[in-house]
Amino acid sequence: MTIREPVCGELVCLCPLRVGAAGEWVRWMQDPDTTRFLYAPGERPREPFTLTVALDWGRRILADPHRLVFAITERTTGKTVGDARLVPGGRRRARFSIVIGERSARGRGLGREATALVCAYGFGQLDLEQIDLEVDPRNQPAVRAYMRVGFERTGRRTMRLTRRRFEQAPAAA
Ligand SMILES: CC(C)(COP(=O)(O)OP(=O)(O)OC[C@H]1O[C@@H](n2cnc3c(N)ncnc32)[C@H](O)[C@@H]1OP(=O)(O)O)[C@@H](O)C(=O)NCCC(=O)NCCS
């Protein structure tokens, strides 16, 4: 499923995901900088991410009542630059993931703000208590963005944010 109404920060809005953007998703995934650290060891898909695969992924996630997906648009241009997901992982817990797929949109604070907005949505609207994620420790932009939002390391490749910690983190303001 996706959200109904946009949720905006200063730089980005979380918007409903539309499968009409599937062509963009394919283009993003053809950029090695998008996919370099995206998959856990042994989880890199064998099949190429074609338009058919992208459409299938989009339709399945929109029809899934448990997984919540957000499109990320840049506020100044309205352009879709990525997406993020919250997948339930136990009682009042969810797993977060994000892709800023548009190369020109990376490294300008959009990923950090989108992460903060999704976490705020998870704690505020979904009443989550904890959000976990997996990250390659070499993925410095990701690790730094997550730390700014308040995530703490729980293992070499895992980080966690609790509602209390998020409310205390300066980036959540
Ligand atoms: C990871 C990702 C979401 C980060 O979003 P972003 O918009 O590029 O990052 P931001 O501009 O918000 O920057 C976040 C932090 O990383 C730093 N940073 C940005 N680009 C960097 C780079 N190339 N090298 C090192 N640090 C970098 C920023 O300075 C900032 O740190 P600071 O707040 O301590 O100054 C985005 O780059 C992305 O989607 N990458 C491809 C897919 C991916 O790796 N997803 C995450 C899988 S866990």
Side-chain angles (χ1 to χ4, degrees):
M1 66 178 160
T2 189
I3 50 173
R4 291 197 184 149
E5 299 294 332
V7 178
C8 293
E10 282 178 27
L11 304 173
V12 296
C13 293
L14 306 178
C15 292
L17 187 93
R18 306 278 182 232
V19 289
E24 300 292 280
W25 308 339
V26 173
R27 186 168 57 75
W28 299 340
M29 297 299 273
Q30 285 167 351
D31 178 354
D33 285 342
T34 305
T35 57
R36 179 160 295 124
F37 298 120
L38 206 50
Y39 303 107
E43 286 188 5
R44 185 171 283 272
R46 296 208 182 123
E47 301 300 318
F49 193 78
T50 59
L51 187 60
T52 309
V53 174
L55 284 167
D56 184 52
W57 173 81
R59 288 182 184 132
R60 274 191 292 119
I61 201 162
L62 287 176
D64 185 331
H66 302 297
R67 293 187 291 168
L68 180 58
V69 63
F70 309 84
I72 301 168
T73 62
E74 185 166 15
R75 227 181 141 162
T76 48
T77 58
K79 190 175 165 63
T80 303
V81 296
D83 53 64
R85 278 135 271 142
L86 281 175
V87 177
R91 195 174 168 273
R92 298 180 74 186
R93 294 179 181 182
R95 183 165 290 258
F96 169 80
S97 59
I98 184 169
V99 173
I100 301 292
E102 197 62 52
R103 170 180 278 266
S104 64
R106 291 197 279 258
R108 295 196 279 116
L110 278 59
R112 183 205 61 77
E113 190 183 74
T115 300
L117 287 172
V118 171
C119 292
Y121 190 94
F123 294 127
Q125 305 299 313
L126 308 178
D127 203 25
L128 295 175
E129 275 298 334
Q130 185 176 301
I131 299 176
D132 291 285
L133 61 80
E134 238 183 88
V135 61
D136 188 311
R138 295 168 298 175
N139 190 350
Q140 275 306 301
V143 171
R144 288 174 66 161
Y146 302 150
M147 290 188 82
R148 279 282 298 278
V149 174
F151 278 88
E152 295 176 294
R153 282 186 187 281
T154 47
R156 207 179 78 80
R157 299 184 57 94
T158 51
M159 298 180 84
R160 172 168 298 161
L161 181 64
T162 58
R163 179 203 288 254
R164 174 185 295 228
R165 169 126 182 125
F166 178 69
E167 284 165 359
Q168 290 169 353

